[in-house]
Amino acid sequence: MTKEPVERDVTLQGTIERFTFRNPDTGYAVVKLVDEATKGPVTAVGPLAELKEGQRLVISGKASVHARFGPQVKVETYEAIAPSTEAGIEAYLGSGLVKGIGPATAEKIVAAFGTDTLRVIEHEPERLRSIRGLGPKKVDELATAVKGQKELQNVLVFLRAHGLGGALAARIVRRYGVAASALVQANPYRLADDVIGVGFKIADRLAGQLGIAPEAPERLDAALEFVLAQAAKDGHCFLAEEELVRRTAELLACREEALAPRLPELAANGRIVRQLPPGPVLLHDDPRPIVYPVALALAEDGAARSLHRLLARPGTLGIKAEAAVAWFERTSGMALPDGQRQALVRALSESVSVVTGGPGVGKTTIVRALVQILAMKQQPLLLAAPTGRAAKRLEESTGHAATTLHRLLEWNPMGGAFARNAENPLEGRLLVVDEASMLDVQLAHSLLAAVPVGMSLVLVGDRNQLPSVGPGSVLADVLASGRVATTALTQIFRQQQGSDIVRVAHGILAGELPQSGGDGSDFYFVEAKDGAHARLLIREIVTQRIPRRFHLDPQSEVQVLCPMYRGEIGADTLNRDLQDLLNPGQVEIERAGKRYRIGDRVMQIKNDYDREVWNGDVGRITHLDTGAAKAFVRFPEREHEYRFEDLGDLVPAHAISVHRSQGSEYPAVVMPVTTDHFLMLKRSVLYTGITRGKKLVVLVGTKKALEMAVKNDDDGHRNSGLCERLRDLLRGDGIRPERFVDPS
C-alpha cells in the first residue's frame, strides 16, 4: 500500500529565482525560491503566477514530498515584500517588468542607487534620468510598473483575506487591475457578471464579509437579476413577477415585501423589462406583470416584429409553383404524395412557410427539390442550420453548400455582433433553415432581422423534438400562432425500407411502448436489472457487441446519449468508463472533475465567437501541452488552441446529454433508460434520442423506466411570449418592451 505523503506546516522567506511553470489564466505557478534562512533552493507551487522573478516573499503553506517532483511547498498564503539585496533588486527589475528594460539596464540602475533603488523609483523617479538610455517615457513606465506591482500585491492580499482562492483572485486582478479592491468593495455583486468562476453565491458571501446588509438594495437587485438569469438557463424568457419575487426571497431567505419595491426601480433604470403579458387584456382579467432580462425582451419583440414584416408581403420568388413541382417530379422520376407537393408549393409561393414532421417523412426530399428548382430558375438559394454538424448533414444530403447560422450571419468578434442585420441583410432569393426546433429566441431575432424583403424563408424542423438549449420555444410558438403557412408531414417512407428506428419513433409519439426488432433490425431494447447493471451492459455493448456484430468503430461511429449528466449511468460516469476502455494510457489532465485525454472526443457547449466554434460542435483532442497549459482540438474545419482555463467550454463526448445531441445524427446510438433519471423520463427526451440514430439504436434499461418515459408527454412549460406577440401584431395592439408597467 502506497503511503500518503506527510504534510507539515511551514513558513519561510525567500526570493523567486525562476519560474519553471506559470499559467496566468489559472494563477497557478511552480517557482524556485532561494530560502533566506538556509540559502538553499525551495520548490513552491500555488497561486504565484502574478509575481516576478527577483520578487521577495513570505510564504505559508504545507511542505511535503511529491511522488514525482520531490520536496515542495504548497502555498496557502503569501505576502510580497520588497527585495532587500542588490542582486534581488536587479533580478526583479530585469525580469520583464517593463518592456525594454532587461538585465543590462537593471544592472546600471542598481549600480547607481544600490539597495535604495526601489525607493528612488517610487518616490524620486526623476533621478533615474541620470542613467544613460533611460528617457522620460521609460522612467515613467518603470515608476508606474513598480508602483502597480505593489498595488496588485495589496489587491491580491485583500481578496485572499476575504476567502477568495489564489486562482480566482488572479482572475479578478486581471479583470480590474489595481482598481480591483475599490471596485469589489463598492459592489461585490459585479463579480458575478464580470468574472468567470464567480457565481452569485461567492459574490454574496463576499458582500456579507464586506458588511453589506441582508436587505441592502444592491443585494436585492443582484439577486433578482441572478434569478432571472437562472430562469433563462432553464429556457424561460420571463418570469411572472410573483414567481420572481418568491424564488428570490427563498434564495436570500429574506422578506418578499422587501423585494417587490425593487422591481419598478430596476425597470426604470433599464436593468430589467417589466410589463403586462402580451395578448388581449379583457375587462374582467386581472393580469399581473411579467419580468424579462432586457436582452430577451428585445429579442422576443424583435423576432415577432421581423416575422410580422416578412408575413405582411406576398411571396416574391415569381415561380409558378405547381409547374415547378411537376418539373421536379418528371426530372427526378419521383411521384410526390400530397403532403410533400403541398409543402413545396407553399415554400415557392409564401413569403414564410414551415415544414415539420418526424424522421422518414420526406423533409430532406423537399429541400432537395427546392435546391434543384431554384438552380433551374437560376435563383440563389441559401441553406443553413444552427450547428456545424446539422449544416454538414444538410450539405451532404442535398449536394448544395450549407453553413451554420452564425457563419451565415457573419459574426464579428471584434464588434461583438453579427455583420448581417437589417441594415446589411442577407443576399439571395430563398433561405432554408433546417433543424428549426433548435432556434432560441435570440438567434431567431438576429436571423429574422437579416432576412430582407424579396427573400423567402422556409423553416424545416420536427415539432416533437426537445426545445432549444437557449431560452424560448421559437418553432412551437410560430406554429401555435397560426400565422405561418405550415405543412405537417406524417406519411413515413423509410419504413418501406425496413427502418424500425422510424417505426419506434412514431410509435412513441402515439404513446406506444418500443419493441425490439428481429434479426437484421436497426432498433433493440436490452433489458437491465437496474442502473448499475445498465452501466455494465453499455460498456460491453459499445466496446464489444456493436463493433463485432455491426462493424462500427466505437471511437467515431457509436454515440452514447444520456438523459442526464449525473448519476450511475449519467454522461459523466459513462464518459470516464469509455475513456478507460476506448482511450487508455494517454496523457491527460483533469479540470472540474472531468478528464481530458489526447485522442478524446469533446463537444463545445457554448458559442465561442472568437474561435468560431459553436455550441454542439464536436472535435478531438490532438495534443496537451502541460507546460504551456494548452490543449489543441481538431474540429472538422480547423484545429483550435484552448487554454486549460477554457476547458470548461468543452465536455468529453464519448457520452453526452440527449439535449446536446440535437441537430446531430450518428451511425449508432446507445441510450440508458432507467429510473435513475426519472426526472428526465419524458416522451420528448426518448423520441429525440432515438431519432439521432441513423443505422442503429440500442436502448438499455428497465421496462418500468421505458413505460414512464412513453407515458410522460409533459415536456415542461417554457415562459415565452412570441406566439402572443405575433398575434398581437396582427391585431395591432402589440405590447412593446419599452412600455413598462407604471411603477405606481
Side-chain angles (χ1 to χ4, degrees):
M1 179 180 292
T2 304
K3 292 184 178 180
E4 291 293 323
V6 177
E7 295 184 335
R8 57 185 177 85
D9 293 330
V10 64
T11 298
L12 61 89
Q13 185 168 298
T15 301
I16 297 177
E17 184 178 55
R18 70 179 187 278
F19 285 83
T20 57
F21 172 80
R22 175 160 48 183
N23 182 1
D25 298 315
T26 62
Y28 181 83
V30 179
V31 304
K32 292 294 184 183
L33 287 172
V34 177
D35 186 349
E36 293 182 7
T38 66
K39 308 302 181 185
V42 174
T43 299
V45 301
L48 306 169
E50 299 292 326
L51 301 174
K52 300 289 182 182
E53 290 175 356
Q55 199 140 29
R56 197 166 163 228
L57 306 173
V58 176
I59 286 175
S60 294
K62 302 285 187 182
S64 64
V65 179
H66 191 280
R68 179 178 175 187
F69 300 111
Q72 61 180 23
V73 176
K74 295 179 183 177
V75 178
E76 295 176 343
T77 63
Y78 72 84
E79 179 183 355
I81 54 180
S84 59
T85 65
E86 291 186 0
I89 296 170
E90 188 177 312
Y92 175 58
L93 296 181
S95 65
L97 189 66
V98 174
K99 187 176 180 180
I101 295 182
T105 304
E107 184 179 1
K108 292 180 184 178
I109 297 172
V110 175
F113 302 107
T115 56
D116 199 31
T117 296
L118 293 180
R119 189 197 63 78
V120 169
I121 292 173
E122 189 171 353
H123 299 289
E124 301 177 84
E126 66 278 358
R127 292 178 61 188
L128 294 173
R129 296 181 186 178
S130 63
I131 306 296
R132 186 174 181 179
L134 282 183
K137 182 180 178 182
K138 195 63 66 179
V139 168
D140 287 345
E141 288 178 353
L142 182 57
T144 300
V146 169
K147 185 178 180 181
Q149 276 293 310
K150 185 176 180 180
E151 290 172 341
L152 284 176
Q153 301 316 313
N154 292 334
V155 169
L156 286 168
V157 170
F158 164 79
L159 293 172
R160 289 197 302 273
H162 286 88
L164 297 177
L168 204 53
R171 285 201 291 274
I172 294 170
V173 167
R174 280 202 307 280
R175 179 67 177 81
Y176 301 128
V178 296
S181 295
L183 291 173
V184 169
Q185 289 182 79
N187 181 13
Y189 293 104
R190 69 185 299 157
L191 295 175
D193 295 325
D194 294 348
V195 180
I196 296 172
V198 181
F200 175 82
K201 291 183 179 179
I202 292 177
D204 193 44
R205 186 188 72 204
L206 180 59
Q209 293 174 350
L210 293 173
I212 293 178
E215 293 190 359
E218 56 265 44
R219 182 175 191 246
L220 303 181
D221 293 351
L224 287 163
E225 291 181 291
F226 171 74
V227 170
L228 267 186
Q230 290 299 110
K233 289 181 180 180
D234 293 334
H236 299 297
C237 291
F238 64 83
L239 286 178
E241 185 169 282
E242 293 100 328
E243 177 74 3
L244 172 59
V245 169
R246 182 186 62 78
R247 290 190 187 187
T248 308
E250 290 176 356
L251 173 70
L252 297 182
C254 73
R255 299 175 303 117
E256 292 186 14
E257 293 79 10
L259 287 160
R262 299 304 308 159
L263 292 171
E265 186 168 341
L266 281 172
N269 291 332
R271 290 171 61 179
I272 61 171
V273 169
R274 180 174 178 255
Q275 62 177 72
L276 296 178
V281 180
L282 304 178
L283 291 177
H284 60 272
D285 285 343
D286 182 22
R288 307 301 300 164
I290 58 176
V291 184
Y292 287 82
V294 173
L296 295 186
L298 294 173
E300 188 177 276
D301 184 77
R305 294 181 185 280
S306 292
L307 192 53
H308 177 70
R309 168 180 56 83
L310 298 176
L311 290 167
R313 58 174 171 75
T316 57
L317 285 175
I319 295 174
K320 295 180 179 179
E322 295 285 357
V325 174
W327 171 85
F328 172 75
E329 288 183 308
R330 287 195 308 274
T331 57
S332 66
M334 297 176 63
L336 299 177
D338 290 343
Q340 288 184 319
R341 285 183 58 85
Q342 186 180 63
L344 274 172
V345 168
R346 286 174 171 167
L348 296 168
S349 306
E350 302 282 349
S351 57
V352 184
S353 63
V354 175
V355 181
T356 184
V361 296
K363 298 191 298 294
T364 302
T365 298
I366 291 168
V367 181
R368 284 199 204 102
L370 290 172
V371 168
Q372 294 180 32
I373 290 170
L374 265 75
M376 182 266 292
K377 293 291 185 178
Q378 296 184 329
Q379 296 200 33
L381 168 75
L382 301 175
L383 298 183
T387 67
R389 290 179 70 92
K392 183 179 180 182
R393 188 156 54 89
L394 182 61
E395 182 171 308
E396 291 171 347
S397 63
T398 62
H400 187 281
T403 185
T404 64
L405 289 173
H406 287 84
R407 289 197 175 93
L408 177 75
L409 298 174
E410 299 176 16
W411 174 259
N412 178 6
M414 297 297 293
F418 290 111
R420 294 291 182 174
N421 48 42
E423 288 71 39
N424 181 32
L426 296 167
E427 299 171 8
R429 297 306 310 282
L430 177 66
L431 168 62
V432 179
V433 177
D434 198 14
E435 297 289 352
S437 64
M438 299 179 66
L439 283 172
D440 63 59
V441 69
Q442 289 174 291
L443 184 55
H445 168 46
S446 298
L447 171 68
L448 293 167
V451 178
V453 173
M455 176 183 283
S456 296
L457 173 66
V458 180
L459 300 176
V460 181
D462 186 347
R463 70 170 88 192
N464 295 302
Q465 295 279 353
L466 286 167
S468 57
V469 174
S473 50
V474 173
L475 181 60
D477 282 352
V478 168
L479 294 173
S481 74
R483 293 199 54 192
V484 179
T486 300
T487 306
L489 302 177
T490 57
Q491 183 176 343
I492 302 171
F493 299 100
R494 275 167 45 190
Q495 188 176 24
Q496 298 171 0
Q497 302 171 15
S499 173
D500 286 324
I501 294 174
V502 175
R503 170 185 62 79
V504 166
H506 286 270
I508 286 171
L509 296 179
E512 298 173 5
L513 200 65
Q515 300 293 330
S516 283
D519 289 341
S521 174
D522 57 6
F523 175 82
Y524 296 91
F525 173 63
V526 179
E527 192 166 2
K529 299 174 185 176
D530 51 28
H533 186 213
R535 178 181 173 186
L536 293 173
L537 287 172
I538 288 171
R539 291 160 56 105
E540 181 184 351
I541 288 167
V542 171
T543 62
Q544 299 178 40
R545 294 192 199 179
I546 289 178
R548 185 169 60 241
R549 182 169 177 180
F550 297 96
H551 308 293
L552 295 172
D553 180 7
Q555 276 274 47
S556 60
E557 296 180 295
V558 182
Q559 182 64 62
V560 176
L561 302 180
C562 303
M564 298 172 67
Y565 270 95
R566 297 178 181 177
E568 177 80 22
I569 50 167
D572 289 338
T573 299
L574 291 175
N575 259 311
R576 285 182 170 266
D577 288 352
L578 295 174
Q579 278 178 319
D580 291 338
L581 292 167
L582 298 174
N583 194 29
Q586 299 291 339
V587 174
E588 73 169 46
I589 63 163
E590 186 165 337
R591 287 293 182 276
K594 292 181 172 61
R595 299 185 309 196
Y596 299 86
R597 290 181 179 176
I598 294 175
D600 271 350
R601 192 163 63 207
V602 290
M603 174 180 279
Q604 181 82 16
I605 59 171
K606 63 183 291 188
N607 291 331
D608 187 324
Y609 298 103
D610 294 327
R611 295 185 180 90
E612 293 190 358
V613 181
W614 313 117
N615 188 353
D617 285 356
V618 175
R620 197 171 292 277
I621 297 174
T622 59
H623 179 59
L624 292 172
D625 186 337
T626 55
K630 292 179 180 179
F632 297 84
V633 183
R634 167 63 65 180
F635 289 93
E637 294 188 354
R638 63 178 69 91
E639 187 169 82
H640 290 283
E641 176 185 299
Y642 284 75
R643 298 171 300 181
F644 285 176
E645 175 74 4
D646 297 333
L647 287 178
D649 294 347
L650 297 170
V651 294
H654 295 289
I656 60 175
S657 71
V658 175
H659 224 139
R660 294 288 180 196
S661 72
Q662 285 180 275
S664 301
E665 193 174 63
Y666 310 97
V669 164
V670 178
M671 183 175 172
V673 185
T674 76
T675 53
D676 296 53
H677 294 158
F678 72 94
L679 291 175
M680 291 299 293
L681 289 178
K682 300 178 180 180
R683 186 180 295 178
S684 59
V685 174
L686 186 61
Y687 173 82
T688 300
I690 288 173
T691 55
R692 299 308 88 202
K694 186 176 181 180
K695 298 179 181 179
L696 177 67
V697 172
V698 182
L699 302 184
V700 183
T702 64
K703 288 183 178 179
K704 179 181 179 181
L706 202 57
E707 290 173 358
M708 290 171 63
V710 172
K711 290 178 181 178
N712 184 7
D713 61 356
D714 178 11
D715 296 331
H717 171 72
R718 285 189 167 194
N719 293 335
S720 170
L722 180 60
C723 172
E724 288 302 330
R725 289 182 191 278
L726 286 168
R727 292 174 176 173
D728 281 346
L729 290 167
L730 188 63
R731 290 190 295 264
D733 62 353
I735 301 291
R736 298 188 180 187
E738 59 268 26
R739 278 182 55 187
F740 299 112
V741 173
D742 186 346
S744 63

